[in-house]
Amino acid sequence: ADPGRVPTPKTRLGRGQPRPMIQFDEHGFRRRVEEAVVTLQKLLHSTRRPTFAEDVPNHSYQDKYLLAEFLTNCGLAAQCTCLEALGVGTQQLATLVEWSASETVTLRLAGRQRCTFLREEEREVESKAKVVKESTIFGKSEQKVVTRVNEWFWKIDVEWELVAYAGTMGGPRQLRLQGRSGSAQLKTTTSATPEPAGQVEFIPTEVPITWLLQQVKLPGGLVGAAHVLSFKIDRDAEGCRTPRRNPQVEAALHAARELCAWSKRVCQFMNQRIFSKAERCAKVQAHTGRGFLALIASTHQPSELFVPVLPLFEARPAEEEADAAGGDGDGGDGDGTL
């Protein structure tokens, strides 16, 4: 069997083997890249013509490795941007990078809620219908039906917290990234609690980010300095077969899958535990449901996120390539490709 073959969904995977990739949609992938190129060309000089790597005939196999490294670093930059949106600033990132040198670093989202009984009220509700009675002695009279309604009021407190920790939870190395708390009142027509009574701890969701942090380097080790991403493929390693089939890319894909799965769990957590309660309270009693708005730090739609991963090459004349390499240091390897 070819040791470099990617297992298909029907292939049985042994312990320690990489998981198969999600089925690749080439048509959708090309469409998204072509749309991105249209936008990219608006920002570049009119003479620039980035295109798919397969459409540049003079590139070398070494360029494929460079492209894989470049795209992986772009993907890591996008992941770091997501961490920044979650509250990982420059100082926090430097701390997490330092921790990752010796311990496993984990992101953890946890939360809890408490349901407390407040009071019971009784009020009278008049019916819109009227009962008319006629009497030969007293004449005609009207009566209204009045119903006594009992109502129970409850206070719902909800909070969530996002932390990063090294080693085990509860240890000395723990960093609170952000958190929110809010409360609202619920009114019911029965004495049954609308939520479990007392305090309930939500099941936390975690993801390791050690590998991602280990790719971040601080120039000179200076805290507060702009960080750089240092992903490289070891071409001489025994397990390196192609720009795609090598331990470094496999590790990058595994870390990305874990972060993606955790992001989906976070969305499910917030929708089920936070947003649904806010909507429920707002429908029952608008002015008390607003207390849950404090639980929402900010919202980001997927369409608003910039993903700077474009697998493109650009053919250049050799003299222009040499000028670019000598002028700003960002040229290719001298074979007329970038």
Side-chain angles (χ1 to χ4, degrees), residues 48 197 200 249 264 309 314 328:
R48 303 288 296 275
V200 177
V249 169
K264 293 179 179 179
V309 183
E314 182 183 19
D328 53 18

Side-chain angles (χ1 to χ4, degrees), residues 233-276:
I233 298 175
D234 187 357
R235 277 81 154 167
D236 299 325
E238 182 179 355
C240 181
R241 297 178 176 85
T242 68
R244 166 61 183 85
R245 312 287 182 256
N246 57 78
Q248 290 74 38
V249 169
E250 290 292 350
L253 292 173
H254 177 73
R257 292 189 197 104
E258 286 191 324
L259 190 59
C260 178
W262 180 77
S263 300
K264 293 179 179 179
R265 295 196 300 270
V266 168
C267 290
Q268 185 179 29
F269 178 99
M270 300 301 290
N271 287 331
Q272 294 181 352
R273 302 296 188 182
I274 307 299
F275 300 148
S276 62

Side-chain angles (χ1 to χ4, degrees), residues 36 49 52 55 63 128 132 140 215 224 259 274 310 314 326:
R49 292 291 183 268
F52 289 97
D55 297 330
D63 290 322
K128 295 181 179 180
V132 180
K140 183 184 296 186
Q215 312 310 308
L259 190 59
I274 307 299
L310 294 178
E314 182 183 19

Side-chain angles (χ1 to χ4, degrees), residues 189-239:
T189 56
T190 66
S191 59
T193 59
E195 299 287 340
Q199 180 165 303
V200 177
E201 295 285 338
F202 299 146
I203 299 177
T205 177
E206 298 185 343
V207 62
I209 56 172
T210 310
W211 185 89
L212 170 60
L213 295 172
Q214 289 175 346
Q215 312 310 308
V216 179
K217 304 299 180 183
L218 298 177
L222 298 176
V223 176
H227 65 274
V228 295
L229 297 163
S230 60
F231 175 81
K232 291 286 185 182
I233 298 175
D234 187 357
R235 277 81 154 167
D236 299 325
E238 182 179 355

